[in-house]
Amino acid sequence: MHELNIAGNIADMVRREMSERGLSQVEAISLRLGRMTDVNPDALSFGFGVITRDTELAGAKLIIEEIPVAAKCHQCEREFDVPEFSFSCPSCGSNAVRLIRGMELEIASLEVVENTSATSL
Amino acid sequence: MMDKIAIEKKVLSENDKLAGSLRERLTAHRILCLNLVSSPGSGKTSLLEKTIAALNSEFRIALIAGDVQTENDARRLKRAGGKVVFPIVTGGRCHLDARMVTSITDQLSLDDLDILLVENVGNLVCPSSYDLGEDMKVVLISTTEGDDKPLKYPGMFLRSSVMVINKIDLLGSSDFDMATVKQNARSINGQLIMFELSCRTGAGLAPWNQWLGEQAKRKRSR
């Protein structure tokens, strides 16, 4: 259940952005979450709701975009989706492959009500 | 009207930054660092006990033993001959992070060290998100577990460079199949280096110790 820690990291980062940008309220936080991160989106949303209760982030929604896993073959350079975590190249069969998508754990953007920000356009 | 503000920042960037600078420091001191991960009970502490016993005379080894509660593992490692052993009691947290490891390495005399072995909390999920500044992750699995574990926990097996299969003395006592576990692991990560051993009987420990020694020497001569 490291999702609670990660929810705390997200809340800290958003608070920092808010103070740097002079925002008083954030409506939603858009997150990109790769399927290979071992982070459960439901547990993350639940944890985020719990730790932001009674804070300035109370009610802020976590919008999670799950990113499917994709890899690239070292041998033949083919890029391919990895739906079942089977990391061998569908073209040449090599399992010398590199993950190119699915490890994302990043805040993409914040949604704020217009005019709560002095700096946003 | 809603406004969208682009942020584009990694959530674990602080941990990654700490881990990155730790990696640089360890590499500057030519110290090999391994991060041992597994389910509870696969034999991380047992493997470290055997490793210390084999390599203590040739290499200067420091150990960090992470546990949710108790310093039992650290005590075991000291009894096994560990000269520099630090416990990390996480107090319920399910993984080690780079900050915890950095606070220990700050207390170490890095000039007097060849190998740093970090025993993570027994957990195949949470530790995979946290870079500790290691050269490699070593994932352990034992023959009393399911041979489909690599498929169930692909994140950890993908991020690991080495897989150690422990408790081979118990092969045949369960439905665990050696060929199946290897095939499952390779389907996740075709570059995994594999060792089969038994910490209890000592079978298969020699190739592991030799490999580890070679890695340390390679790092030292860089």
Side-chain angles (χ1 to χ4, degrees), chain A residues 72-75 80 86-90 92-98, chain B residues 158 182-183 185-192:
Chain A
K72 185 172 182 176
C73 178
H74 282 307
Q75 302 288 338
F80 57 98
S86 179
F87 289 87
S88 51
C89 176
C92 72
S94 165
N95 51 17
V97 302
R98 180 170 56 88
Chain B
L158 186 72
K182 287 183 171 177
Q183 191 188 337
R186 285 216 178 86
S187 75
I188 302 297
N189 181 348
Q191 281 127 22
L192 272 175

Side-chain angles (χ1 to χ4, degrees), chain B residues 90-101:
Chain B
T90 64
R93 291 179 77 181
C94 46
H95 59 273
L96 299 183
D97 62 32
R99 188 188 49 79
M100 299 177 196
V101 177

Side-chain angles (χ1 to χ4, degrees), chain A residues 2 5 9 17 21 27 32 36-38 85 87 96 103 105-112 114 120, chain B residues 1-5 7-12 14 93 95 126 128-130 154-155 159 187-188 191:
Chain A
H2 60 320
N5 280 318
N9 292 337
E17 294 293 334
R21 293 164 192 265
E27 297 292 319
R32 271 194 295 269
M36 208 68 212
T37 52
D38 287 336
F85 302 126
F87 289 87
M103 297 285 245
L105 176 52
E106 41 200 46
I107 298 179
S109 60
L110 303 179
E111 277 181 35
V112 297
E114 223 174 350
S120 76
Chain B
M1 274 294 284
M2 287 287 187
D3 247 359
K4 201 171 219 177
I5 304 172
I7 302 290
E8 301 297 340
K9 281 187 183 160
K10 285 187 177 176
V11 173
L12 293 176
E14 228 157 283
R93 291 179 77 181
H95 59 273
C126 313
S128 86
S129 299
Y130 294 87
R159 287 174 181 81
S187 75
I188 302 297
Q191 281 127 22

